[in-house]
Amino acid sequence: MNHTPLNGPDLDQTRESHLFGSLSEGAWKPLSAQVSRRKLVGGEILFQQGDPYEAFFLVLRGGIKLYRLSPDGAEKVIEVIMPSQTFGEAIMFAQGNRYPVTAEALEDTVLVAVPASAYMNMLAKYPEASVGLLKDMSQRLHHLVMEVDRVTLQRARERLLSYLAQQVACGDGTTCNLKMPRKVLASRLSMQPETLSRLFRGLKDQGVIAEKGQIITVLDQDALQDGYMDEL
């Protein structure tokens, strides 16, 4: 893993992040001097489940999968973190101060590491900055609640449809780029890779979607909307 100071466009991109954009210059300037740029190659581990907690992270480019291992060694993907998203910030307030998941780069990835101690010191000096952090954690909690609903209440086909609906809603409403191996997506949706492959084939045969590599194009918005409404 490569560690370098943060400057130039990467510093500007970090400043625009939801956790830093609302900070005053007085709060941001000393904090920015302590953050660092980290570069990982695909498959490289950022931290392991159970490692001591030191920092939270912002993805600038690439992607990170967060997963836990079951007692028998099976990997369960908890979340996939894409550019402009952060992860690990809530652990600052947890007892034990250890990472509860393993973080692995899905591809060559550039991150910003924010030392937890530096961020906590900034919050103590500028308590108004905590509003942005609370908003972030509230959104993350809402997302995780929807994930629990998706896994426990929906069938596999509905889980895939609602996931695709989420992804296209973040883009042009018609296409999305999965940006992750199908095995990772299957674990993310709590299904076997064979089940995911069968569902994709079925959706293509039914004219719901078309796919070209990682690009999914929605052909039947009504079918996708049904899956999306099941999630709400």
Side-chain angles (χ1 to χ4, degrees):
M1 183 168 24
N2 184 301
H3 301 240
T4 58
L6 192 64
N7 50 45
D10 287 345
L11 184 62
D12 294 338
Q13 185 178 347
T14 302
R15 181 69 166 106
E16 294 170 0
S17 169
H18 60 284
L19 285 186
F20 308 109
S22 62
L23 297 182
S24 66
E25 279 302 306
W28 167 246
K29 191 171 182 179
L31 180 63
S32 66
Q34 298 185 66
V35 302
S36 62
R37 178 182 183 271
R38 300 191 185 182
K39 186 176 181 180
L40 291 78
V41 299
E44 187 174 356
I45 300 295
L46 176 63
F47 54 75
Q48 297 270 12
Q49 178 180 334
D51 282 352
Y53 178 69
E54 297 177 348
F56 67 89
F57 301 89
L58 164 69
V59 176
L60 296 181
R61 293 178 290 283
I64 294 284
K65 69 173 178 178
L66 305 179
Y67 65 89
R68 291 177 62 88
L69 293 178
S70 66
D72 62 359
E75 181 182 298
K76 168 55 185 169
V77 177
I78 304 300
E79 196 168 4
V80 175
I81 310 297
M82 304 309 291
S84 299
Q85 294 181 323
T86 56
F87 61 100
E89 56 270 37
I91 310 173
M92 285 189 291
F93 306 99
Q95 293 183 347
N97 290 329
R98 292 188 178 273
Y99 292 107
V101 295
T102 295
E104 178 183 326
L106 286 171
E107 56 185 310
D108 291 353
T109 297
V110 177
L111 303 161
V112 175
V114 184
S117 58
Y119 198 85
M120 290 293 284
N121 289 337
M122 182 274 294
L123 289 179
K125 190 172 182 180
Y126 299 92
E128 66 276 8
S130 62
V131 174
L133 182 61
L134 288 171
K135 181 179 179 181
D136 172 74
M137 290 194 290
S138 176
Q139 291 174 337
R140 185 69 56 85
L141 177 60
H142 178 66
H143 173 74
L144 290 175
V145 169
M146 289 196 300
E147 284 299 302
V148 172
D149 283 347
R150 190 192 338 241
V151 171
T152 58
L153 301 179
Q154 293 181 329
R155 295 174 297 176
R157 186 177 189 274
E158 293 169 338
R159 292 201 296 274
L160 177 57
L161 285 173
S162 62
Y163 177 81
L164 293 176
Q166 268 190 326
Q167 300 307 302
V168 299
C170 294
D172 62 8
T174 303
T175 62
C176 66
N177 187 338
L178 296 180
K179 296 182 179 179
M180 68 183 80
R182 296 298 170 92
K183 182 179 179 180
V184 173
L185 178 58
S187 179
R188 178 79 173 75
L189 297 177
S190 298
M191 64 181 73
Q192 294 297 317
E194 297 80 7
T195 301
L196 181 65
S197 295
R198 185 171 67 251
L199 288 172
F200 268 118
R201 286 196 301 271
L203 291 175
K204 287 191 294 182
D205 291 345
Q206 295 159 19
V208 178
I209 64 168
E211 62 176 330
K212 185 176 182 181
Q214 295 288 73
I215 305 298
I216 303 296
T217 301
V218 177
L219 304 176
D220 187 339
Q221 291 286 349
D222 290 337
L224 199 68
Q225 186 65 23
D226 287 342
Y228 181 66
M229 292 304 294
D230 284 335
E231 181 189 31
L232 299 178

